[in-house]
Amino acid sequence: ETGVTQTPRHLVMGMTNKKSLKCEQHLGHNAMYWYKQSAKKPLELMFVYSLEERVENNSVPSRFSPECPNSSHLFLHLHTLQPEDSALYLCASSQGLAVSQFFGPGTRLTVL
Amino acid sequence: GESVGLHLPTLSVQEGDNSIINCAYSNSASDYFIWYKQESGKGPQFIIDIRSNMDKRQGQRVTVLLNKTVKHLSLQIAATQPGDSAVYFCAETGSGGSNYKLTFGKGTLLTVNP
Protein backbone atom coordinates (compact mmCIF):
# COMPACT_ATOMS: atom_id res chain seq x y z
CA GLU A 1 0.00 0.00 0.00
CA THR A 2 1.16 3.49 -0.73
CA GLY A 3 -0.02 6.95 0.24
CA VAL A 4 -3.10 7.29 2.38
CA THR A 5 -5.69 4.51 2.43
CA GLN A 6 -9.19 4.57 3.87
CA THR A 7 -11.63 1.79 4.66
CA PRO A 8 -14.38 1.17 3.99
CA ARG A 9 -14.77 3.12 0.76
CA HIS A 10 -18.55 3.09 1.12
CA LEU A 11 -20.72 2.76 4.23
CA VAL A 12 -24.45 2.82 4.76
CA MET A 13 -25.69 2.99 8.32
CA GLY A 14 -28.84 3.62 10.27
CA MET A 15 -29.13 6.41 12.80
CA THR A 16 -28.85 3.98 15.72
CA ASN A 17 -25.78 2.14 14.41
CA LYS A 18 -22.21 2.44 15.60
CA LYS A 19 -19.50 2.24 12.98
CA SER A 20 -15.88 3.26 12.55
CA LEU A 21 -13.92 4.70 9.65
CA LYS A 22 -10.26 3.77 9.33
CA CYS A 23 -7.38 5.70 7.81
CA GLU A 24 -3.80 4.53 7.39
CA GLN A 25 -0.92 6.55 6.01
CA HIS A 26 2.19 4.90 4.57
CA LEU A 27 4.19 8.12 4.15
CA GLY A 28 5.97 8.28 7.50
CA HIS A 29 4.02 11.39 8.45
CA ASN A 30 3.24 12.42 12.00
CA ALA A 31 0.12 14.57 11.59
CA MET A 32 -3.29 13.33 10.49
CA TYR A 33 -6.56 15.05 9.69
CA TRP A 34 -10.26 14.30 9.23
CA TYR A 35 -12.25 16.39 6.76
CA LYS A 36 -15.92 16.31 5.77
CA GLN A 37 -16.95 16.93 2.17
CA SER A 38 -20.70 17.47 1.75
CA ALA A 39 -22.51 18.00 -1.51
CA LYS A 40 -22.42 21.66 -2.52
CA LYS A 41 -20.39 22.69 0.54
CA PRO A 42 -16.70 23.36 0.89
CA LEU A 43 -14.39 20.81 2.41
CA GLU A 44 -14.49 21.24 6.20
CA LEU A 45 -11.72 20.45 8.65
CA MET A 46 -12.99 18.31 11.54
CA PHE A 47 -10.06 17.06 13.62
CA VAL A 48 -6.29 17.31 13.62
CA TYR A 49 -3.78 15.05 15.36
CA SER A 50 -0.10 15.75 15.73
CA LEU A 51 2.19 13.13 17.25
CA GLU A 52 -0.95 11.24 18.30
CA GLU A 53 -2.28 14.19 20.28
CA ARG A 54 -5.46 15.94 19.21
CA VAL A 55 -4.65 19.58 18.46
CA GLU A 56 -7.85 20.64 16.76
CA ASN A 57 -11.55 19.92 17.18
CA ASN A 58 -13.37 22.20 14.80
CA SER A 59 -16.66 22.34 16.74
CA VAL A 60 -17.57 18.82 15.67
CA PRO A 61 -20.61 17.19 17.38
CA SER A 62 -19.79 14.52 19.95
CA ARG A 63 -21.43 11.82 17.82
CA PHE A 64 -18.11 11.88 15.93
CA SER A 65 -15.26 10.55 18.04
CA PRO A 66 -11.71 10.43 16.62
CA GLU A 67 -8.93 8.13 17.77
CA CYS A 68 -5.27 8.14 16.83
CA PRO A 69 -3.54 5.09 18.35
CA ASN A 70 -0.24 5.75 16.53
CA SER A 71 1.13 8.10 13.90
CA SER A 72 0.10 5.81 11.04
CA HIS A 73 -3.53 5.17 11.96
CA LEU A 74 -6.54 7.37 12.49
CA PHE A 75 -10.09 6.31 13.24
CA LEU A 76 -13.40 8.13 13.26
CA HIS A 77 -15.98 6.44 15.46
CA LEU A 78 -19.57 7.18 14.56
CA HIS A 79 -22.70 6.76 16.67
CA THR A 80 -26.28 8.01 16.50
CA LEU A 81 -25.61 9.95 13.33
CA GLN A 82 -28.16 12.06 11.48
CA PRO A 83 -29.03 11.95 7.78
CA GLU A 84 -27.32 15.31 7.32
CA ASP A 85 -24.06 13.63 8.32
CA SER A 86 -24.09 11.81 4.99
CA ALA A 87 -20.95 12.96 3.19
CA LEU A 88 -17.52 11.97 1.94
CA TYR A 89 -15.14 11.73 4.88
CA LEU A 90 -11.55 12.36 3.90
CA CYS A 91 -8.41 11.61 5.82
CA ALA A 92 -5.15 13.43 5.19
CA SER A 93 -1.64 13.35 6.56
CA SER A 94 1.38 15.61 6.59
CA GLN A 95 4.87 15.81 7.96
CA GLY A 96 4.35 18.07 10.91
CA LEU A 97 1.36 20.40 10.96
CA ALA A 98 1.80 21.58 7.40
CA VAL A 99 0.26 23.27 4.42
CA SER A 100 0.99 20.35 2.15
CA GLN A 101 -1.42 17.58 3.09
CA PHE A 102 -1.87 14.24 1.35
CA PHE A 103 -5.43 12.99 1.12
CA GLY A 104 -6.88 9.52 1.01
CA PRO A 105 -9.71 8.57 -1.37
CA GLY A 106 -12.38 9.04 1.29
CA THR A 107 -15.25 7.02 2.72
CA ARG A 108 -18.65 7.74 1.22
CA LEU A 109 -21.05 7.62 4.18
CA THR A 110 -24.82 7.44 3.86
CA VAL A 111 -26.95 7.72 6.99
CA LEU A 112 -30.50 6.43 6.59
CA GLY B 1 -16.78 34.85 9.07
CA GLU B 2 -13.79 34.28 6.82
CA SER B 3 -14.53 32.47 3.58
CA VAL B 4 -12.95 31.34 0.38
CA GLY B 5 -15.14 31.22 -2.70
CA LEU B 6 -14.97 30.48 -6.39
CA HIS B 7 -16.40 32.67 -9.12
CA LEU B 8 -17.36 29.92 -11.59
CA PRO B 9 -18.76 26.54 -10.67
CA THR B 10 -18.01 25.01 -14.12
CA LEU B 11 -15.50 25.59 -16.87
CA SER B 12 -15.38 23.81 -20.21
CA VAL B 13 -12.33 24.10 -22.50
CA GLN B 14 -10.99 22.47 -25.61
CA GLU B 15 -7.98 20.18 -25.38
CA GLY B 16 -4.83 22.17 -25.94
CA ASP B 17 -6.30 25.47 -24.80
CA ASN B 18 -5.18 27.26 -21.67
CA SER B 19 -7.50 27.18 -18.65
CA ILE B 20 -7.91 29.82 -15.99
CA ILE B 21 -9.69 29.04 -12.75
CA ASN B 22 -10.42 31.90 -10.38
CA CYS B 23 -10.91 32.22 -6.67
CA ALA B 24 -11.72 35.04 -4.26
CA TYR B 25 -10.60 35.01 -0.68
CA SER B 26 -11.39 37.18 2.31
CA ASN B 27 -8.73 36.42 4.94
CA SER B 28 -5.88 38.80 4.20
CA ALA B 29 -3.88 37.27 7.06
CA SER B 30 -3.49 33.87 5.37
CA ASP B 31 0.13 32.79 4.97
CA TYR B 32 -0.39 30.50 1.97
CA PHE B 33 -2.88 29.90 -0.78
CA ILE B 34 -3.16 26.47 -2.32
CA TRP B 35 -4.75 24.75 -5.28
CA TYR B 36 -6.00 21.18 -5.08
CA LYS B 37 -7.32 18.93 -7.83
CA GLN B 38 -9.94 16.27 -7.13
CA GLU B 39 -10.72 13.63 -9.70
CA SER B 40 -13.86 11.56 -9.50
CA GLY B 41 -13.63 8.91 -6.77
CA LYS B 42 -10.37 10.27 -5.38
CA GLY B 43 -9.28 12.58 -2.64
CA PRO B 44 -7.94 16.08 -3.31
CA GLN B 45 -4.42 16.19 -4.73
CA PHE B 46 -2.06 19.07 -3.95
CA ILE B 47 -1.12 20.98 -7.11
CA ILE B 48 0.72 24.11 -6.12
CA ASP B 49 0.84 26.70 -3.37
CA ILE B 50 1.93 30.30 -3.15
CA ARG B 51 3.13 32.21 -0.15
CA SER B 52 1.29 35.42 0.62
CA ASN B 53 4.38 37.57 -0.06
CA MET B 54 4.58 36.35 -3.66
CA ASP B 55 2.60 37.38 -6.75
CA LYS B 56 3.30 34.48 -9.03
CA ARG B 57 4.56 30.94 -8.87
CA GLN B 58 5.04 28.47 -11.68
CA GLY B 59 4.98 24.71 -11.70
CA GLN B 60 4.83 22.15 -14.44
CA ARG B 61 2.14 23.46 -16.83
CA VAL B 62 0.51 25.39 -13.99
CA THR B 63 0.89 28.96 -12.78
CA VAL B 64 -0.72 30.50 -9.74
CA LEU B 65 -1.23 34.25 -9.55
CA LEU B 66 -2.02 36.10 -6.36
CA ASN B 67 -3.48 39.61 -6.37
CA LYS B 68 -3.61 40.77 -2.80
CA THR B 69 -5.08 44.15 -3.71
CA VAL B 70 -8.35 42.59 -4.80
CA LYS B 71 -7.93 39.34 -2.84
CA HIS B 72 -7.96 37.20 -5.92
CA LEU B 73 -6.21 33.95 -6.73
CA SER B 74 -6.06 32.19 -10.07
CA LEU B 75 -4.76 28.91 -11.43
CA GLN B 76 -3.63 28.81 -15.03
CA ILE B 77 -3.20 25.46 -16.75
CA ALA B 78 -1.29 25.50 -20.01
CA ALA B 79 -2.18 23.19 -22.89
CA THR B 80 -5.05 21.62 -21.01
CA GLN B 81 -5.33 17.86 -21.41
CA PRO B 82 -8.25 15.44 -20.87
CA GLY B 83 -6.49 14.22 -17.73
CA ASP B 84 -6.89 17.69 -16.28
CA SER B 85 -10.66 17.21 -16.07
CA ALA B 86 -11.48 17.40 -12.37
CA VAL B 87 -12.81 19.69 -9.66
CA TYR B 88 -10.30 22.33 -8.64
CA PHE B 89 -10.35 23.84 -5.16
CA CYS B 90 -8.55 26.85 -3.84
CA ALA B 91 -7.73 26.89 -0.16
CA GLU B 92 -6.24 29.38 2.22
CA THR B 93 -4.31 28.63 5.35
CA GLY B 94 -4.35 30.17 8.76
CA SER B 95 -1.46 32.34 9.80
CA GLY B 96 1.61 31.69 11.91
CA GLY B 97 1.30 28.44 13.81
CA SER B 98 -2.10 27.72 12.25
CA ASN B 99 -0.85 27.18 8.72
CA TYR B 100 -2.25 23.67 8.74
CA LYS B 101 -5.83 24.96 9.08
CA LEU B 102 -7.08 24.95 5.52
CA THR B 103 -10.26 26.75 4.48
CA PHE B 104 -11.47 25.50 1.12
CA GLY B 105 -13.59 27.06 -1.59
CA LYS B 106 -16.53 25.23 -3.14
CA GLY B 107 -14.68 24.09 -6.23
CA THR B 108 -14.78 24.55 -10.01
CA LEU B 109 -15.50 21.64 -12.29
CA LEU B 110 -13.12 21.72 -15.26
CA THR B 111 -14.17 19.70 -18.29
CA VAL B 112 -11.71 19.26 -21.14
CA ASN B 113 -13.27 18.44 -24.48
CA PRO B 114 -11.18 16.40 -26.93
Side-chain angles (χ1 to χ4, degrees):
Chain A
E1 295 279 11
T2 59
V4 180
T5 58
Q6 291 186 242
T7 54
R9 292 295 308 275
H10 301 271
L11 178 63
V12 179
M13 60 186 290
M15 288 190 286
T16 59
N17 291 157
K18 291 184 180 181
K19 297 288 184 183
S20 296
L21 309 184
K22 179 183 176 182
C23 174
E24 184 173 0
Q25 60 92 5
H26 310 268
L27 299 167
H29 291 165
N30 56 17
M32 298 187 78
Y33 311 75
W34 279 117
Y35 285 86
K36 177 183 179 182
Q37 188 173 35
S38 305
K40 301 180 182 179
K41 288 183 68 176
L43 207 64
E44 301 171 273
L45 179 64
M46 299 176 70
F47 300 103
V48 182
Y49 277 81
S50 175
L51 299 171
E52 301 147 43
E53 295 291 324
R54 191 190 311 178
V55 299
E56 190 76 25
N57 177 343
N58 199 23
S59 302
V60 181
S62 60
R63 58 185 183 270
F64 295 91
S65 176
E67 179 189 2
C68 187
N70 55 62
S71 60
S72 298
H73 294 87
L74 185 66
F75 295 88
L76 188 62
H77 303 300
L78 315 171
H79 64 98
T80 59
L81 294 192
Q82 304 298 311
E84 59 265 28
D85 296 323
S86 298
L88 181 69
Y89 288 85
L90 291 157
C91 173
S93 71
S94 64
Q95 184 53 38
L97 294 169
V99 171
S100 179
Q101 297 172 19
F102 294 79
F103 283 81
T107 294
R108 174 68 62 185
L109 174 68
T110 302
V111 181
L112 302 177
Chain B
E2 304 289 354
S3 65
V4 177
L6 291 169
H7 293 308
L8 298 174
T10 61
L11 177 64
S12 183
V13 300
Q14 290 298 122
E15 182 178 359
D17 287 351
N18 296 334
S19 302
I20 300 176
I21 301 172
N22 297 303
C23 178
Y25 67 91
S26 59
N27 183 7
S28 57
S30 293
D31 281 348
Y32 288 88
F33 300 89
I34 310 156
W35 283 99
Y36 277 89
K37 170 187 180 183
Q38 187 173 21
E39 297 175 87
S40 180
K42 297 183 180 179
Q45 177 186 3
F46 177 91
I47 301 173
I48 190 169
D49 64 3
I50 185 168
R51 196 177 175 98
S52 59
N53 62 356
M54 299 172 64
D55 298 320
K56 179 179 180 179
R57 189 173 185 208
Q58 287 185 294
Q60 187 176 14
R61 278 200 310 118
V62 295
T63 301
V64 56
L65 299 177
L66 177 63
N67 185 331
K68 294 179 285 293
T69 302
V70 295
K71 297 182 180 177
H72 185 267
L73 184 72
S74 69
L75 177 70
Q76 300 179 358
I77 304 174
T80 315
Q81 303 168 0
D84 295 326
S85 294
V87 177
Y88 289 81
F89 297 94
C90 66
E92 58 181 304
T93 72
S95 57
S98 298
N99 277 348
Y100 62 92
K101 295 184 183 181
L102 304 183
T103 300
F104 284 82
K106 291 185 178 181
T108 292
L109 174 62
L110 174 65
T111 301
V112 182
N113 302 309

